[in-house]
Amino acid sequence: GAVVSQHPSRVICKSGTSVKIECRSLDFQATTMFWYRQFPKKSLMLMATSNEGSKATYEQGVEKDKFLINHASLTLSTLTVTSAHPEDSSFYICSARDVGDRRSYGYTFGSGTRLTVV
Amino acid sequence: GNSVTQMEGPVTLSEEAFLTINCTYTATGYPSLFWYVQYPGEGLQLLLKATKADDKGSNKGFEATYRKETTSFHLEKGSVQVSDSAVYFCALTEGNQAGTALIFGKGTTLS
């Protein structure tokens, strides 16, 4: 079945530095990938929709200059948290959609990245 | 806009008890509805789905029926096991276009 690999699974960084998170679709091509942030009380917030070869679409309230998204190929999207601050500490999850997969309606999730900013 | 509301947890049950987790939705059109499960330390996994009114999704003993009249998609299981302890998310999406994201409820922890 469809597999999405997300890396790293955990990262600790200092305030003011930038962190890049990768999301790869391993056995299918994804023209669209999604980035979510999971808060401590578990709710999943859609941050942005990443489109291959074009600019990402950000949800209201998400700072596009802080959360840089690049989707340079059909199998890779990256999220870079720039000038990270402790309030950016969270669990980030990517999802890719294989529209040819009718069994799950095509959404496959990465295993998530736990970001801690100290 | 579209949204999903599910009951707040945590839900604590004895083994073999009956489980219900309520989920209602608001959508402008005709969404597809999903339940996802997140086991401790793992990513999200699709549990079941329903794509039109009156459809019943089922998997691993869990069931949910798409009720358009009550805009609900409640998750049920007749006899829970310890291994079912996880966070459960109700979600919806409208359309099958590639750019359509899943919208999630806040999650319900079952222990």
Side-chain angles (χ1 to χ4, degrees):
Chain A
V3 177
V4 170
S5 173
Q6 186 172 342
H7 179 80
S9 58
R10 291 179 177 273
V11 59
I12 300 173
C13 71
K14 292 184 177 180
S15 283
T17 62
S18 296
V19 172
K20 181 184 284 187
I21 302 169
E22 292 189 349
C23 180
R24 293 181 185 273
S25 56
L26 296 187
D27 49 3
F28 66 99
Q29 293 183 331
T31 54
T32 305
M33 293 186 178
F34 307 95
W35 288 95
Y36 293 86
R37 181 173 177 176
Q38 188 171 27
F39 291 94
K41 296 214 171 196
K42 317 267 184 330
S43 69
L44 278 158
M45 181 192 79
L46 177 66
M47 297 175 66
T49 301
S50 165
N51 303 299
E52 186 267 337
S54 65
K55 291 183 179 179
T57 303
Y58 290 82
E59 296 299 302
Q60 193 171 9
V62 177
E63 299 176 61
K64 61 181 180 181
D65 294 331
K66 176 166 209 41
F67 299 101
L68 299 180
I69 292 173
N70 183 275
H71 193 156
S73 78
L74 287 170
T75 59
L76 174 65
S77 175
T78 60
L79 167 66
T80 301
V81 183
T82 62
S83 186
H85 290 283
E87 58 265 31
D88 298 325
S89 298
S90 194
F91 194 60
Y92 294 88
I93 302 174
C94 72
S95 172
R97 190 166 192 191
D98 180 1
V99 293
D101 179 359
R102 303 301 297 180
R103 293 169 300 153
S104 68
Y105 225 65
Y107 296 97
T108 304
F109 289 82
S111 55
T113 297
R114 171 72 60 193
L115 170 64
T116 304
V117 184
V118 297
Chain B
N2 298 338
S3 65
V4 175
T5 302
Q6 63 182 102
M7 60 189 287
E8 298 278 341
V11 174
T12 303
L13 296 173
S14 301
E15 200 164 17
E16 299 183 3
F18 185 86
L19 167 71
T20 300
I21 301 178
N22 290 338
C23 171
T24 57
Y25 67 89
T26 302
T28 52
Y30 300 96
S32 294
L33 303 173
F34 305 80
W35 277 100
Y36 280 82
V37 58
Q38 186 178 34
Y39 297 103
E42 298 184 16
L44 286 162
Q45 301 173 29
L46 177 68
L47 181 59
L48 53 86
K49 73 176 193 295
T51 57
K52 62 183 188 296
D54 299 325
D55 269 1
K56 177 187 283 188
S58 60
N59 185 27
K60 300 181 181 179
F62 291 90
E63 293 183 339
T65 301
Y66 188 145
R67 301 285 188 201
K68 187 169 181 290
E69 63 276 12
T70 55
T71 62
S72 65
F73 192 55
H74 305 322
L75 181 69
E76 296 181 336
K77 186 175 185 182
S79 176
V80 294
Q81 306 300 312
V82 172
S83 56
D84 294 326
S85 298
V87 182
Y88 292 82
F89 292 92
C90 187
L92 70 79
T93 187
E94 284 200 88
N96 194 29
Q97 295 80 14
T100 309
L102 280 168
I103 304 300
F104 288 90
K106 293 190 174 184
T108 303
T109 301
L110 170 64
S111 58

